[in-house]
Amino acid sequence: MSSIRIENLTKRFGASTVLDDVSLEIGQGEFLALLGPSGCGKTTLLRLVAGFETPSAGRILFDGVPVAGEGWDVPPEARNVAIVFQSYALWPHMTVAENVGYPLRVRGVKGAARTERVAEALAAVELPGFEARRPAELSGGQRQRVALARCLAMDPAVVLLDEPLANLDVHLRASMEDIFKRFHARTGATMVYITHDQAEAMALADRIAVMDRGRIVQLDPPAKLHAEPQSERVARFIGEGRVADCRVVACENGAARIVLFGHEASVRAGAETSRIGKGRLCLRPGDLAVGEHGFEARVVSSRFAGSHAVVTVEPLADPEVRLAVIHPVPLAAGASVRVRVADGWLLPAEAAVPAEAAA
Ligand SMILES: Nc1ncnc2c1ncn2[C@@H]1O[C@H](COP(=O)(O)OP(=O)(O)OP(=O)(O)O)[C@@H](O)[C@H]1O
């Protein structure tokens, strides 16, 4: 396993800057997810780490040793990096055992030693006994597990995964998430995992780097990212967050009293935040409750989600705002309700600009 240090990395293609002064440290054996909308630069960052692209500025170090930038350009094969793509990239003419054993063959591992390592890798991804099959005889999930087993056999220091579950259905994704976790525990490899699926990133990663237009806009463990978004953009991107204007009447030691649509409520704030006046509040569906108290609102629509419903409401005090509320059952459109603020997160002051104005 290697630590990865990315320093002021910029990548331009012609006139467009695809990565803009990105700095990031990934610890030895850490599982880091790169999360962001299509085109934000995730794959480009991964390709730079792998060595398929060279930086326009900045540098990349593995275990403190430069591999790219400022005159350094260690080729991909010398970086001990394995890559798992969504397309699996298995050789169709080879058996599963030959595919998994290929990196070992290249390194000169022969005979029983190779057979043993292949069997071990296949057991780790729960495909024992599949050695003689060809990729065409496998399901999508099984192919992806063979690709992982090939990675495992290589014993890489760094594993880069580019949306490896994108081609799989929902059920397979869940079971593959478990396999990735076990794979990570077994190899101890440093893993960088690209996804635009936040649930996947939350389920797998130690930390998540949220990217937006070539920059990292927040880097935090999943729970903190969800609970304490540092900008309006992240607040909206993660966990169906909605943002509304509020008035802060008291704020200290991580707790704030706010007035939202004429009603007072207690919410969370950054420990260092102490201000009163105008504020912007991030509200997740689970932060609100329909009941006997709270601000008046009208139900716009309801979406049934299995164990509960997500009800969209518009406050009477500001019908432009749409908020989502978790409720046991769907509610009829047009119904009058009261909504209580049970929790919420006061966005840091520097984030209190509308997303459009910040764009
Ligand atoms: N070789 C290239 N030449 C020119 N532009 C490129 C090249 N590679 C990527 N880009 C551009 O860089 C931007 C970022 O692309 P990148 O593939 O890194 O995004 P991404 O976040 O991985 O997106 P997705 O989730 O859709 O894969 C895009 O606008 C893309 O068109």
Side-chain angles (χ1 to χ4, degrees):
M1 69 199 91
S2 288
S3 65
I4 304 170
R5 188 179 164 92
I6 292 165
E7 288 180 352
N8 307 102
L9 198 64
T10 293
K11 180 66 184 174
R12 293 181 210 96
F13 291 111
S16 75
T17 301
V18 170
L19 285 180
D20 188 3
D21 198 25
V22 169
S23 293
L24 174 65
E25 273 207 70
I26 308 167
Q28 274 191 7
E30 187 176 10
F31 195 135
L32 182 102
L34 289 175
L35 176 68
S38 181
C40 69
K42 306 182 293 292
T43 303
T44 304
L45 182 54
L46 206 75
R47 288 176 58 78
L48 279 154
V49 172
F52 298 136
E53 303 279 358
T54 50
S56 307
R59 57 179 195 159
I60 302 171
L61 301 91
F62 283 7
D63 285 333
V65 179
V67 294
E70 294 174 358
W72 298 91
D73 190 11
V74 176
E77 61 278 11
R79 294 190 188 187
N80 198 14
V81 167
I83 307 179
V84 180
F85 300 100
Q86 54 176 276
S87 57
Y88 323 127
L90 300 178
W91 286 284
H93 60 284
M94 290 187 190
T95 64
V96 164
E98 286 163 348
N99 266 287
V100 175
Y102 185 80
L104 297 171
R105 204 171 94 195
V106 171
R107 291 180 187 183
V109 181
K110 294 194 174 86
R114 192 161 82 210
T115 311
E116 206 171 292
R117 294 242 320 248
V118 167
E120 217 178 83
L122 284 173
V125 298
E126 294 177 5
L127 283 182
F130 278 65
E131 282 86 344
R133 295 231 201 153
R134 297 203 184 260
E137 296 162 341
L138 301 173
S139 71
Q142 290 168 338
R143 283 180 212 173
Q144 193 54 287
R145 281 191 268 164
V146 173
L148 267 183
R150 183 176 52 191
C151 226
L152 208 58
M154 262 182 81
D155 195 19
V158 173
V159 181
L160 307 177
L161 303 113
D162 191 353
E163 304 226 21
L165 303 184
N167 288 338
L168 305 181
D169 69 37
V170 176
H171 295 297
L172 258 180
R173 275 169 172 246
S175 69
M176 284 301 290
E177 281 175 10
D178 286 341
I179 290 197
F180 278 125
K181 273 194 184 153
R182 265 180 269 144
F183 173 88
H184 181 232
R186 193 174 180 115
T187 57
T190 306
M191 294 177 70
V192 185
Y193 188 106
I194 287 191
T195 180
H196 58 250
D197 181 332
Q198 50 173 287
E200 210 169 279
M202 296 264 172
L204 289 168
D206 297 318
R207 286 189 305 161
I208 300 174
V210 182
M211 291 187 67
D212 186 34
R213 289 168 296 178
R215 287 172 171 267
I216 291 176
V217 290
Q218 189 165 347
L219 172 64
D220 268 316
K224 184 154 190 221
L225 187 68
H226 190 269
E228 301 179 6
Q230 293 302 303
S231 65
E232 193 150 334
R233 203 171 271 283
V234 175
R236 291 178 194 278
F237 187 62
I238 303 288
E240 292 192 62
R242 307 292 167 93
V243 181
D245 281 324
C246 67
R247 192 160 51 81
V248 185
V249 290
C251 181
E252 57 180 0
N253 301 329
R257 259 330 258 173
I258 55 106
V259 178
L260 180 72
F261 310 126
H263 284 253
E264 266 202 39
S266 294
V267 297
R268 291 169 293 110
E272 64 295 337
T273 308
S274 72
R275 63 197 165 91
I276 54 169
K278 278 187 181 172
R280 296 280 283 168
L281 188 64
C282 169
L283 291 163
R284 296 251 155 64
D287 295 338
L288 300 170
V290 168
E292 291 179 1
H293 306 288
F295 61 83
E296 288 178 287
R298 197 180 65 85
V299 173
V300 177
S301 61
S302 286
R303 167 166 58 86
F304 189 57
S307 59
H308 61 272
V310 180
V311 179
T312 300
V313 299
E314 57 180 30
L316 296 196
D318 189 352
E320 296 287 296
V321 174
R322 292 280 191 280
L323 297 171
V325 188
I326 288 185
H327 197 63
V329 291
L331 297 173
S336 293
V337 289
R338 281 190 177 273
V339 178
R340 186 172 63 84
V341 178
D343 197 7
W345 166 250
L346 187 64
L347 285 162
E350 59 274 24
V353 276
E356 298 71 34

